[in-house]
Amino acid sequence: MSKSTVGSAPGETPAASDEQDLGAAGSQLSTAPVDTLASGPALGLIGWARWFWRQLTSMRVALLLLLLLALGAIPGSLIPQSGTDETKVAEFRQAHGTLAPIYDRLGLFHVYSSVWFSAIYILLFVSLIGCIVPRTWQFVGQLRSRPPGAPKRLTRLPAYTTWRTDAEPEQVREAGLTLLRKRRFRAHLAGDAVAAEKGYLREVGNLSFHIALIVMLVAFACGQLYKSEGNKLVVEGDGFSNTLTQYNDFKSGNLFSTDDLNPFSFSLDKFTGTYETSGPNTGTARTFQSAITYSVGAYGKDKKAVVKVNHPLEIDDSKIYLTAHGYAPVITVRDGKGNVVYRDAVPLLPLDSNITSSGVIKVLDGYRDAKGVGEQLGISAFFLPTYTKGSEAASTFPALRNPVLNLTPYHGDLGVNSGIPQSVYQLDKSHMKEFKDSKGAQLRDNLKPGETMTLPNGAGSVTYEGTKEWANFQITQQPASGWALGGAIAAIFGLAGSLFLQRRRVWVRAVQGDDGVTVVEMAGLGRSESAKVPEELGDLAGILYDQAPSTPDPDTPDTPGSPASPASPEPEVVPAEGAEK
């Protein structure tokens, strides 16, 4: 029968022995590295390298780098970025002649590809890897090892209880081992005590959180390097094929290749938009969707789909978003001999929430006036979906209630052959002449669907045939977005596990005292101060107490004729001697 012994190792003072004993009991409750260089780096290059690596892989530096990364992303949200909108960057340069050169030197017009942002990103990446790898190996070693044996003085631990019982020590230890294993503790017999540990998922959550951050960083990096994003305006009845020449504008990551474009095509069958007709939200869109027919690959079957705002169509890793809508009046232009030289739906750009729109109709080839002289026509167009008399400057409702198209024609040279690029929505009038009406004023007219404007001197005519609608689609392709989402979810669960789970140890010692009665001691130790450890120890002690109840106190002997002394009450867990309260 083993006996309880409390004392110090030879040559050690009791205090030193206790501290060493408690240190062994609380060791490896965490995989955080021990700061062996707290007093300063060793001399020499190797010492400084060790010190720098230890600082880089420390938690405080990782948090600092995360904070710097978040702060560095702020200018990317406030300042126009060259990779997103070159036009706004050009406008900013023109409006801020002093700030623009400074921003250029600091890389603030391309924050996410700048040297300083990349340096923070890479350092954070290295810091996380340098933190995870050793802690993972250390944690694997802890999983393969057993919980440490019980300290000599369990009374020094934060939670402690004891009682005396008539049960044999082996029976108590066996009952304690069975109980702890049922409570999902990793338990084993270590000398005269049972050593058990629980809460390994805390460290699993901690490591999962850090690994998830690495997955997110890699996913974001791949997404930026291999991404593509373009816009295409499609009129009802027209289509789009996912090739570079089909886009109105296109931008991509540094490692993107046109071979990475997913092969698909689609056509816009019909755009549907309905609006609130009354109340404070009059004119607000209620329905905003596009019915399309699409196919994947060169010989794919046609499929129907509806694209709505925030509900994109996904084809492989490409997403097709509906981003804008407008009107495209169908215009027919005839020359002086009545020949049709132009017939098309002309997309106009909205100017306000009621889709008051403007644009340009350009007739480049085939037009000849009444004398047979070849010219080019340019017609400024101003469109009101709902025209109301007295409000000629803007539409009063976004739907086609009373559409009116205002046209102002010009003739001459549009300048498209000069080699200088120009917008399809702007008209260069420097080499154009106005058409004059019978009174000598500039020709201008309002047309309703089906009406025709006759150009003076037999120069031809312009007919407003009707109105189609157009939709603007943004086609994005960003690889690894699923990995980024998975990393974010894993990071949340990992962080929750590391915050709400506690790693703790429990010891059950049962030894035979000098009087032959078994002394049972139970103690618990957690990684941090928590009320959960004493509560859990009290619960375990209560169950074990029922299996090995206490014996009468020997200090209160029975006397003839008097009732037997009552048994000791059920043990109560209290803060142990020397423990912090």
Side-chain angles (χ1 to χ4, degrees), residues 213-237:
L213 286 182
I214 291 182
V215 172
M216 292 171 62
L217 289 175
V218 173
F220 288 146
C222 291
Q224 290 297 315
L225 291 173
Y226 292 96
K227 74 173 183 178
S228 67
E229 181 180 302
N231 289 279
K232 178 62 178 180
L233 187 150
V234 183
V235 180
E236 288 177 333

Side-chain angles (χ1 to χ4, degrees), residues 184-203:
R184 299 191 302 276
F185 278 85
R186 293 180 61 205
H188 71 105
L189 289 173
D192 59 1
V194 177
E197 188 169 356
K198 189 178 182 180
Y200 287 90
L201 286 179
R202 176 189 179 94
E203 196 62 33

Side-chain angles (χ1 to χ4, degrees), residues 60-102:
R60 60 179 178 273
V61 172
L63 293 175
L64 178 61
L65 290 172
L66 275 174
L67 177 61
L68 290 177
L69 198 68
L71 292 176
I74 294 176
S77 303
L78 301 179
I79 301 173
Q81 299 296 291
S82 57
T84 304
D85 197 331
E86 292 283 358
T87 303
K88 288 186 177 180
V89 173
E91 292 175 354
F92 188 93
R93 292 180 189 276
Q94 187 176 3
H96 303 84
T98 303
L99 278 178
I102 299 175

Side-chain angles (χ1 to χ4, degrees), residues 340-362:
V340 175
V341 295
Y342 180 91
R343 177 175 289 163
D344 202 359
V346 183
L348 304 181
L349 296 181
L351 302 176
D352 56 27
S353 59
N354 286 328
I355 320 185
T356 304
S357 308
S358 67
V360 175
I361 304 161
K362 295 182 180 182

Side-chain angles (χ1 to χ4, degrees), residues 91-327:
E91 292 175 354
F92 188 93
R93 292 180 189 276
Q94 187 176 3
H96 303 84
T98 303
L99 278 178
I102 299 175
Y103 284 4
D104 272 325
R105 293 190 184 94
L106 297 176
L108 297 182
F109 290 123
H110 50 92
V111 168
Y112 304 110
S113 60
S114 62
V115 175
W116 57 269
F117 191 87
S118 300
I120 298 174
Y121 199 91
I122 293 173
L123 284 175
L124 178 59
F125 190 80
V126 173
S127 176
L128 288 174
I129 292 179
C131 178
I132 288 173
V133 172
R135 294 184 70 162
T136 301
W137 284 117
Q138 185 176 351
F139 182 60
V140 170
Q142 292 178 15
L143 290 177
R144 298 176 63 182
S145 63
R146 290 183 170 186
K152 294 178 181 179
R153 295 183 61 187
L154 291 178
T155 55
R156 298 290 303 276
L157 297 181
Y160 173 83
T161 187
T162 183
W163 71 93
R164 294 157 53 86
T165 181
D166 290 330
E168 294 295 326
E170 290 82 359
Q171 296 176 352
V172 176
R173 289 195 290 266
E174 191 62 33
L177 181 64
T178 303
L179 171 62
L180 290 170
R181 286 177 175 174
K182 284 184 178 179
R183 292 299 184 93
R184 299 191 302 276
F185 278 85
R186 293 180 61 205
H188 71 105
L189 289 173
D192 59 1
V194 177
E197 188 169 356
K198 189 178 182 180
Y200 287 90
L201 286 179
R202 176 189 179 94
E203 196 62 33
V204 172
N206 191 13
L207 293 174
S208 299
F209 172 73
H210 287 81
I211 294 173
L213 286 182
I214 291 182
V215 172
M216 292 171 62
L217 289 175
V218 173
F220 288 146
C222 291
Q224 290 297 315
L225 291 173
Y226 292 96
K227 74 173 183 178
S228 67
E229 181 180 302
N231 289 279
K232 178 62 178 180
L233 187 150
V234 183
V235 180
E236 288 177 333
D238 292 343
F240 166 79
S241 179
N242 193 29
T243 59
L244 194 60
T245 56
Q246 288 278 299
Y247 285 94
N248 297 129
D249 62 80
F250 184 85
K251 53 183 178 289
S252 62
N254 295 334
L255 300 182
F256 178 82
S257 170
T258 54
D259 296 334
D260 297 329
L261 288 172
N262 294 319
F264 66 85
S265 60
F266 67 86
S267 60
L268 176 60
D269 300 328
K270 182 176 177 57
F271 178 87
T272 303
T274 60
Y275 308 89
E276 291 284 351
T277 58
S278 61
N281 296 322
T282 301
T284 302
R286 297 182 59 187
T287 305
F288 204 76
Q289 62 186 36
S290 294
I292 67 172
T293 301
Y294 74 96
S295 62
V296 180
Y299 305 102
K301 294 182 179 180
D302 288 344
K303 301 178 182 179
K304 299 289 186 178
V306 175
V307 182
K308 302 179 181 179
V309 177
N310 297 326
H311 292 81
L313 172 65
E314 296 188 25
I315 302 176
D316 294 332
D317 60 348
S318 296
K319 292 184 179 180
I320 303 172
Y321 292 89
L322 175 63
T323 59
H325 154 256
Y327 294 107

